[in-house]
Amino acid sequence: MTATTLQAEKVAQRHHVRRISDKTIQTAFILPTMVLLILWNIFPLFYSLYLSFTEYSVIAGAPPKWIGFENYRNILSSPLIWKYFALTGRFALLSVGLQTIIGFAMAMIVRAKFRGSGFITTLILIPMMLSPVVVGKFWAMIYNPTFGPLNYLLGMPPPRGPDWLANPQFALWAVVLVDVWMWSPFVMLLCLSGLKAIPEYLYEAAAIDRASAWFQFWRITLPQVAPLLMIAILFRTIEAFKQFDVVMGLTGGGPGDATELVAVNLYRIAFLGRFDTGIASAFAYIVLIIIISISNLYIRYLNQLRGEA
Amino acid sequence: MSKKLHVLVVLALLVGLVGAFAQPAAAQQPVKELTILWAEWDPATYLAELMKDYEKEAGVKVTVKQEPWGSFLDVVSKEWAAKGTAFDLVVGDSQWLGQAASEGHYVELTDFLTETGLKDTVTEATLKYYAEYPTGSGRYWAFPTEGDANGMAYRKDLFEDPDEMAAFKEKYGYDLGVPKTWAELMDIAKFFTRPDENLYGVAIYTQKDYDAITMGFQNVMWGFGGEWADENNDPRGAINNEGAVQALEFYRELWTCCAPPGSSNIFFPEVNNYFISGQVAMGMNYFAFFPALANPATNPYAESTGYFAMPAGPTGERFAALGGQGMSINAYLPPERIEAAKGLIKWFGREDVQAKWAQLGGYTCNKKVLASPEFLEVAPFNAAFAESMEMVKDFWNVPVYAQLLEVAQRELHTYVVGGEGTAKETLDRIAEEHYKILSAAGLIKEATQ
Amino acid sequence: MAKFEEVGPRSPITESTRVDLVHPRARLGVTIRAIVAIVIVAIMLFPVIWLSLTTIKTRPDSVAVPPKFIPYFPDGFLSDWCMVPQLNKDGTPKLDKEGQPVLKERPICFDVTLEGIVGLFFERRTLTPAQMKQYMDDPNLDWADRILLKRGLLITGPGEFVNRFRNSLIIAGTSTVLAVTFGLLAAYAFSRWDISGKKDFLFFILSTRMLPPVVVTIPIFLMYRQLGIYDTHIGMILLYTVFNLSLSVWLLKGFLDEIPREYEEAALVDGYSRLQAFRKVVLPQAATGIAATTVFCLIFAWNEYAFSLMLTSDIARTAPPSIASTQGAGGFEWAIIATASMLFLIPVVVITFALRQHLLRGVTFGAIRQ
């Protein structure tokens, strides 16, 4: 067979395939995702929505009893819940804020190519690969003021060092620190991808113009990284509202209720012997509405950024 | 696109329906295997070992499935929710009884235990707390399997050191020894709290998760004259009476003065950790967790570790919080499996099997075995255990126990560890909230006057 | 056309041509960055190092006060430094009855033990000291028995870890492949075409990740029971796929948006079909995004805890629900937990390292961006 016939055949093949219209491809590409998401979400979502209007415990024999908005009323009128929401807001702000700053800073540092930079970057990713439950338990051990290594490394052997998890002032920070330790690498990796995508000529131009490093950062680096950074922030914020396993391992929501995040409290209501499924579902929907509103704001901003780019 | 969405929704519902009707029918055949669900800990391993004998004798293979303590109740509950048959028997916590019995998750064993005579083989306390619901009704839902209660471990090398004894006598005016009252325990705890030497008086339960701090506090509360409720089940004036308030102040003082740093959210594994690392002179724990302290391989102080039952409060009475479990049969099983499960319990209750159970390390509830000299001597803590089992009391075991527990956990932890409010305010709140929960559940009897 | 295939965008620009980067000052900057990066690695990895030290500690050593940092082997590695000869008051070495010098362990040192590593693979039960002596004399013990017997543990059978680890590999692996594949297709469609209701679709996809999982576990559990896929591999694979799709679609769309359409358009003009353009032009460019998404999806599926606990019992149970709560008699077996965690880390680390090139390459053809 000659090269020309091969070539011709290839072209023919291509033309054959090309007959699939873009419309079909669109549908075929989106369909699996949508089908899976709908199949897996429709029942749980509607079922728990229904349960949120009932008095019901999954472990009770009695069927759900319709009580209208009472669960919602009870939750929204409980001062404790608002305290937990405020706490969760603070946690999310501190934790996601620090993750963004630290993740971005780390990305800026490791973007430079030096020997072993790829290796080092990969090593930084390890904390987020650990199982959250194990992370909670081991950090509780690390924080322990007597047999934990942290206070020793900080030069505060017992009895001098603070009891991080027992002190209401430190406990939330201790939880934030673990979350930041675990998830800054996530932000870093996404920022790094964004950073590497910045065309070199932009910097070259800036260098020729003798633009300051500060100017380069604000005018070139940040805007170029922003889209991926915003996705990272979005996902971390959603996760912050769902954070409970690390907290359970570290403080169990204590001392008192210094670290009683919404998701921790929700877990306490939905499981841990109580199984107040009705109230838990209502609570979850309130959380969902709050996350949706926050995400919506984010996404609008995100789209705005995209529009400008 | 919205049309497509409709199609998908219909499709989803169809798939669900088809699935619902396509349940495979269970095949009928003689029961050759049984599954017991229990928490992941040594007694379950002992039980698995014991069940090898049952396979030899009866030809039924018994699997003991172990779930970690943290998720044990979740896993059991999900089966209840689905009326599932993933396990045939469950060795469940005493507090679950009310819920499981009144919601029909357990098979009633009253007739079975009476006919087989098994009812009379176990001690009264264990029958009352591990098997009976409602209390005093004479209806049974479980066979007492693993007895357990809170006790104390202490460092004999410290308590019996002549220098320490002399110093203690000089300071407090009486001899250092196993405390007979909570006041003495406080003195001893304060005496041994020496941050410079990394030594602290006592490790006590503080964990907020499930039931730890409530269990720890109860030990003290009953001895001080507090009760969860009066005889009409009314918590007001019982849980917030003077004795209970004093007891709570005592518990907080004990924690603030004498507990090791880092013990703001601890339960049995952590208490043992503190003990093993030589940081505490005394440690509160369930007897089931003392084998680790008696084992030189896990506890460097094993040879010099002693055990005692809870001391008395100002009322002169002593109480210990109850742990332990009874074995129940899953009510959603087909009849032939229920019969097979009963056969297993019948065998397990036999005296020789119970003796083997105790010998393996299980805490038998069998009267005769418990009283036998072999049992009292086989482990250093068994004497204190037998003593404790005479003075056990339990938290609520009514169907709403979990809600009651959640209130108690939250409030007690906030006061003891968080240091917010006063003991009186804390207990008043518990009394109020418990009253609401109990009256909503219709559990409060009309006052007799 | 042939030329396009040879030197197409598949070979990215890896060498910088920027003059400002070869300047000595810039070089110094790079050195400083390298040092800072190493410090960061040390801080980030400290807890992991602590975890790996714990794998070879006995239970008392893992909670010793003060904490122990330096492992040694008796009569071997570091033992000279760790075992300090005791001195008499006059400064001469203290000798025991047999004339051997009396040695004392430095508090910071600990004796290496394999009990955690061995213990992970077997079911075990605690023995009383009397029983322990009895078993010690048994000549049929193998090395694993001996290691655990020293700890007062008897091996009663094989452990569950290997099985659950395998389940984790199957479930997390397959679901990651599915989530990335489906996510990539959907992300491509959303990125390239103006589909009506696109924003709503995307938000719906995102919102599936927002409901706290605690609440959906029970409905999903009931659903799985009805469908007969409770405790099956396929059930877990599909669940994790769904669980990860939102992240996958959103991330990949973020990456695909960065790839200029001109490339595909050029390829289409060259006679490529849409699918071919997608495969031969877009995919190679999206390698970074695919690699990053794969790693993230894998991590989520690999460590997922709540669903695995509620939706499986034996057959398809993955490792996380049992790792964190391994308890022996009255306490956490820190060494076993640590060993399980470290072993469980290996596959993810290996895959991340394998994908490193793609992961860190970035989207490197920005030169033709508009």
Side-chain angles (χ1 to χ4, degrees), chain B residues 8-138:
Chain B
L8 286 176
V9 172
V10 172
L11 201 74
L13 292 176
L14 275 179
V15 171
L17 279 176
V18 169
F21 287 108
Q23 292 267 69
Q28 284 272 2
Q29 50 191 199
V31 180
K32 279 282 153 218
E33 39 62 52
L34 285 169
T35 306
I36 305 177
L37 183 70
W38 202 357
E40 182 186 330
W41 63 333
D42 271 358
T45 328
Y46 304 146
L47 190 65
E49 191 97 337
L50 187 70
M51 287 302 157
K52 285 178 188 161
D53 291 357
Y54 190 59
E55 188 176 359
K56 268 180 231 151
E57 274 185 43
V60 177
K61 185 171 162 45
V62 181
T63 317
V64 179
K65 245 202 258 180
Q66 304 188 26
E67 270 301 328
W69 269 113
S71 49
F72 182 34
L73 178 54
D74 293 348
V75 167
V76 174
S77 309
K78 92 180 170 193
E79 285 303 316
W80 288 347
K83 304 193 190 312
T85 54
F87 55 83
D88 300 293
L89 298 108
V90 58
V91 187
D93 253 348
S94 52
Q95 293 151 6
W96 306 352
L97 267 181
Q99 198 158 41
S102 48
E103 303 293 355
H105 304 312
Y106 286 168
V107 172
E108 182 167 355
L109 298 177
T110 315
D111 294 341
F112 167 71
L113 291 183
T114 317
E115 279 161 21
T116 51
L118 283 177
K119 191 179 84 157
D120 304 317
T121 63
V122 293
T123 62
E124 274 165 38
T126 58
L127 190 67
K128 176 178 166 195
Y129 288 116
Y130 301 150
E132 191 181 39
Y133 187 84
T135 311
S137 65

Side-chain angles (χ1 to χ4, degrees), chain A residues 255-271:
Chain A
D257 46 16
T259 55
E260 185 84 6
L261 300 182
V262 167
V264 174
N265 196 249
L266 183 56
Y267 174 70
R268 213 184 288 287
I269 297 172
F271 287 93

Side-chain angles (χ1 to χ4, degrees), chain A residues 72-107:
Chain A
Y72 289 91
R73 250 199 310 276
N74 286 342
I75 293 169
L76 294 174
S77 64
S78 152
L80 282 178
I81 298 290
W82 293 110
K83 195 173 160 193
Y84 302 152
F85 266 115
L87 195 69
T88 310
R90 237 181 100 202
F91 169 77
L93 215 61
L94 285 174
S95 163
V96 179
L98 283 172
Q99 278 166 31
T100 312
I101 295 168
I102 294 174
F104 194 84
M106 289 197 300

